[in-house]
Amino acid sequence: MKEFFGFGGYNRDPEGFMSIEHILFVSFGIIVMIALSIILGLKYKNREDKNKVLVVSAILIDSFEIFKIIILCFRVSNFSPIIYNLPLFLCSIQLITIPLAAFSKGIVKEASLDFVFMFGILGALLGTYGAGNNYSSYPVLSFDNTISLITHSISGFASLYIGISGLSSMKKNNMFISYSILTMFCILAYIADIIIPYNYMFLIRGDGTPYDILYNLLNGNKVLYPLFVVLLFILYISVFYFVLFLIRKRKKI
């Protein structure tokens, strides 16, 4: 258990990013995530109490995250992990938006549902298959990677469940709220990156993730790289809405 939780550091060498162990490990989590979202999404699709699944998801994702931070604090015998685990990554924004989607009402709930619907599955895939920063640093069967897989899978589950159960409205007016939420978090992340310093939202460098492709294309330009990362997020929202509107239009025809 001491080795699993990483107390005193891991004695095992990391199997490596995109190793067979990495792929099998995250694939198991993704398969469970998809299966549960389909089963529960279809089960609650026509029920009035479909929101309770989101309530459970919100409680679970934040509980696992708090548990992670507590263990990390014990591991280093100080509170520095709190600073380095702020909800300022694309994936960890769901620590805020899933609870808002579950517990809020009105336009806040609608916008949060739409945001989780759009970015939950993207964050789940990037934070598992694309997590070169984690799987290059820690053994696959470790506390760091296991908790990461669980929280990212909950984000992906919430996204798929919202879509299957019909909770998302995806109104045109909410598109600009999604832009605002994302832009606000990017600004906060960039400020934190400069002050701490750190690499929230991967706005400073790619750190072994797919963001490295963009980082290398722009030769690590300190102005263009973070700007293009934000523009990619905005483009993703625009394309997501555009495709959804086309699908809805075809259904009406």
Side-chain angles (χ1 to χ4, degrees), residues 119 179 182-183 186 203 214 218 223-239:
F119 282 102
Y179 288 142
L182 187 61
T183 303
C186 285
L203 293 175
L214 181 62
L218 298 171
V223 176
L224 291 178
Y225 171 69
L227 181 62
F228 270 78
V229 170
V230 177
L231 288 176
L232 277 178
F233 293 152
I234 292 175
L235 178 64
Y236 175 78
I237 294 175
S238 303
V239 171

Side-chain angles (χ1 to χ4, degrees), residues 55-218:
V55 170
V56 174
S57 300
I59 294 171
L60 284 176
I61 193 171
D62 282 359
S63 297
F64 276 112
E65 185 67 14
I66 292 170
F67 176 62
K68 180 189 80 173
I69 293 173
I70 291 172
I71 293 296
L72 293 181
C73 287
F74 273 112
R75 211 158 73 176
V76 297
S77 301
N78 59 56
F79 296 103
S80 62
I82 296 175
I83 299 174
Y84 298 107
N85 286 275
L86 299 174
L88 293 175
F89 283 109
L90 181 63
C91 325
S92 54
I93 294 175
Q94 309 301 339
L95 296 167
I96 297 172
T97 51
I98 293 177
L100 282 176
F103 296 106
S104 64
K105 294 181 180 180
I107 192 169
V108 174
K109 186 178 186 70
E110 283 187 0
S112 298
L113 284 167
D114 291 351
F115 193 90
V116 176
F117 179 43
M118 284 187 292
F119 282 102
I121 188 63
L122 177 64
L125 296 176
L126 288 176
T128 53
Y129 288 106
N133 51 329
N134 279 358
Y135 290 92
S136 297
S137 303
Y138 313 116
V140 168
L141 289 176
S142 63
F143 175 75
D144 296 78
N145 286 331
T146 301
I147 285 290
S148 178
L149 176 62
I150 291 172
T151 53
H152 284 89
S153 295
I154 293 174
S155 295
F157 164 81
S159 171
L160 294 175
Y161 174 79
I162 288 170
I164 295 169
S165 65
L167 275 169
S168 179
S169 62
M170 295 299 290
K171 295 177 181 177
K172 289 183 180 179
N173 294 339
N174 293 343
M175 179 168 60
F176 298 101
I177 298 177
S178 296
Y179 288 142
S180 301
I181 292 173
L182 187 61
T183 303
M184 178 189 70
F185 273 98
C186 285
I187 292 171
L188 292 174
Y190 193 70
I191 292 172
D193 288 340
I194 295 172
I195 294 174
I196 294 175
Y198 200 46
N199 191 26
Y200 282 118
M201 282 284 194
F202 298 102
L203 293 175
I204 304 301
R205 57 191 177 276
D207 270 355
T209 68
Y211 292 99
D212 270 335
I213 299 172
L214 181 62
Y215 185 83
N216 293 331
L217 282 174
L218 298 171

Side-chain angles (χ1 to χ4, degrees), residues 32-50:
V32 173
M33 174 195 83
I34 294 173
L36 285 176
S37 62
I38 293 174
I39 293 169
L40 293 176
L42 293 175
K43 178 180 179 181
Y44 285 90
K45 186 172 185 178
N46 298 313
R47 288 174 52 167
E48 295 289 331
D49 59 344
K50 63 178 71 176

